[in-house]
Amino acid sequence: MLANDSIIVINAGSSSIKFSMYSGAALDLTMRGKIENLYSGVARFIAQDAQGAVVGANEWPDSALTHEQGMRFLVDFAQSHLDGHRVVAVGHRIVHGGVAYSGPVRLNAAVLADLEKLIPLAPLHLPHNLAPVRSVLAMAPHVPQIGCFDTAFHVGQPAEAQAFALPAEITAMGVRRYGFHGLSYEYIASVLPKADAGLAHARVIAAHLGNGASMCAIDAGRSVASTMGFTAVDGLPMGTRCGALDPGVVLYLMQELGMDVAAVQKLMYQQSGLLGVSGISSDMRTLEQSDDPRARQAIDLMIYRIGREMGSLAAALGGVDALVFSGGIGENSVALRAAVCRDAAWLGVQLDEQRNAAKPQGIARISKADSKVAVWVIPANEELMIAQHALDLVEAA
Ligand code: ADP
């Protein structure tokens, strides 16, 4: 990778496409941006350079922009802003790689066809992840594209961590726990030993707390258990997702309340979690600023469930050496970190209240010097992980 070589990372969701550009062997971030509100209302584009200066902006009033149109715009924009840089690879975040994809892979028509078979496992996300791959394949077929999977980091979990207690033939159909947010956890596992070499072989509980939220038990850099399972609705309560639910509730909703599949799905994915409990907002900042008791109740439920999962993951690890907070809530909510650490005192967690309240920027330790469990804040950086994987694959080719 030469100084003028660049890697573009695409993270495409249901209504947005985020992109980042990294340049040179050190993978310096040179540009990042996003198109939001695809398929609805006014789609908006903004791009910023590494210093945060706006280098591009656009709006599409009254037209429902598709992924393909969005990608066409982004490819044109990238080409006109390359500034002498050469795109050597495009890396994509892909939510599901099933059992087969246990690491990053070069994407071509055959792999795409294979991944399309996994759409029933992640119907809300996978089609949106794959759409930009197809667009780039059509517009710039010579540029290598690399797929990085949110499930891959968890593929090596012990069999019992992956299994549901269902009949073997159902398990054989792929109904098992996969785990998600794997690129975030892989990034955490890769930087933690650089922050503290003593943690290279540690038993770590990492909490990625954003709009989607999960926790992962990492033993010496490898995932051994996670709170998300077959889908990304399991585990912790999230912005709008309910998290773990007695499966009997689903039967009750359908049989007794007459809800159909679409209504239950909407309830579990879009109307629950912080939004559902509070009735106010899915946004942690809004809830923390509210004095409505329902806001407090939603936050407290999230904290309680994080604590319960911590016990479960500690059991899977046989002890804990470090706790890591990441994601928009984990990185920014001083109060939530304080409450979670208070509840985890039984594990040997001793938070340094001052360091916690100092709103650490970047990677920072926030536990007391003599805390048995080291507590760290590590800002999520899935994009850099994807760029690193893409670089490794193109250099190995
Ligand atoms: P996504 O999962 O969509 O990438 P983020 O990781 O950006 O989301 O996390 C979004 C969440 O982070 C929201 O609930 C938001 O309120 C919360 N958040 C962001 N900044 C703060 C803050 N300063 N204090 C508390 N919560 C915050």
Side-chain angles (χ1 to χ4, degrees), residues 11 18 93 181 208-213 239 241 274 281-289 326-334 336 359 380 382:
N11 181 355
K18 296 183 190 152
R93 180 173 179 193
H181 284 142
H208 178 107
L209 310 174
N211 283 314
R241 287 172 248 170
L274 294 175
S281 172
S282 63
D283 195 287
M284 184 56 97
R285 265 170 305 197
T286 307
L287 297 182
E288 286 189 339
Q289 283 156 16
S326 192
I329 298 172
E331 291 159 34
N332 295 300
S333 177
V334 171
L336 178 129
K359 303 202 172 178
E382 288 114 323

Side-chain angles (χ1 to χ4, degrees), residues 35-55:
I35 299 184
E36 286 178 309
N37 299 336
L38 294 174
Y39 300 101
S40 66
V42 182
R44 282 197 184 84
F45 164 75
I46 184 156
Q48 292 166 293
D49 67 14
Q51 284 72 43
V54 175
V55 292

